């Protein structure tokens, strides 16, 4: 996939362990490009799509008006620059299709390894917005091996 297509195709939802100074779905598979991807059709009744390494999205009933194929792909890096002073210490995932909005919030869950959080920093959950800029999702919760947050849209690469 060429870079221009990838920029337009990937709306990143990333579990970014942002480092600041102040302390049911389908099975995955290798897509041949060094990434893992899975997907499933979800409609008005809702459903869960499970992606690579435990990434998933739970879509409640009424969140979608029609059936669409939801995909989750583990990606190696983002083409969107992270905010100054931040770095990614966890895995990144693209949730598509881009531009998908939900009538009620959906819950995204990503793998989390607290051992990757540098001392003196706080883990944060980031995703890109429609302007392809990173934004923090402030309602995120961090467990022993997952991070979850509610969102009302998938990213939309410009």
């Amino acid at each position: 996939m060429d870079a221009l297509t990838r920029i337009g195709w990937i709306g990143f939802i990333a579990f970014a362990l942002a480092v600041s100074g102040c302390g049911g779905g389908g099975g995955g598979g290798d897509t041949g490009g060094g990434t893992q991807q899975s997907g499933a059709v979800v409609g008005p009744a809702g459903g869960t799509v499970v992606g690579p390494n435990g990434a998933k999205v739970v879509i409640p009933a009424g969140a979608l008006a029609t059936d669409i194929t939801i995909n989750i792909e583990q990606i190696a890096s983002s083409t969107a620059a992270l905010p100054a002073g931040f770095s990614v210490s966890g895995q990144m995932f693209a949730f598509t299709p881009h531009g998908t909005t939900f009538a009620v919030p959906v819950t995204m869950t990503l793998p989390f390894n607290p051992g990757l959080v540098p001392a003196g920093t706080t883990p944060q959950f980031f995703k890109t917005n429609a302007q392809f800029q990173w934004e923090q999702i402030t309602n995120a919760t961090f467990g022993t091996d997952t991070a979850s947050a509610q969102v009302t849209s998938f990213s939309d690469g410009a």
Side-chain angles (χ1 to χ4, degrees):
M1 175 180 318
D2 66 42
L4 184 57
T5 302
R6 191 163 183 81
I7 288 170
W9 191 81
I10 296 177
F12 294 102
I13 304 290
F15 165 63
L17 291 176
V19 180
S20 64
C22 49
D30 192 276
T31 61
T35 61
Q36 293 181 355
Q37 180 177 351
S38 63
V41 175
V42 180
T48 299
V49 180
V50 178
N53 296 325
K56 71 178 177 180
V57 60
V58 177
I59 301 169
L64 292 169
T66 61
D67 288 355
I68 64 169
T69 300
I70 303 290
N71 291 297
I72 303 172
E73 177 184 11
Q74 183 175 355
I75 56 175
S77 65
S78 170
T79 55
L82 287 171
F86 290 80
S87 65
V88 176
S89 299
Q91 300 171 33
M92 296 181 127
F93 297 86
F95 288 69
T96 59
H98 304 300
T100 302
T101 57
F102 302 97
V104 296
V106 303
T107 302
M108 302 183 71
T109 300
L110 302 169
F112 171 63
N113 180 348
L116 295 176
V117 180
T121 63
T122 303
Q124 298 175 14
F125 194 116
F126 278 75
K127 77 173 198 74
T128 55
N129 59 25
Q131 292 76 38
F132 209 58
Q133 298 169 334
W134 290 99
E135 61 183 16
Q136 182 180 2
I137 305 302
T138 58
N139 66 15
T141 57
F142 295 86
T144 58
D145 63 356
T146 61
S148 296
Q150 289 193 324
V151 298
T152 56
S153 67
F154 285 158
S155 301
D156 188 323

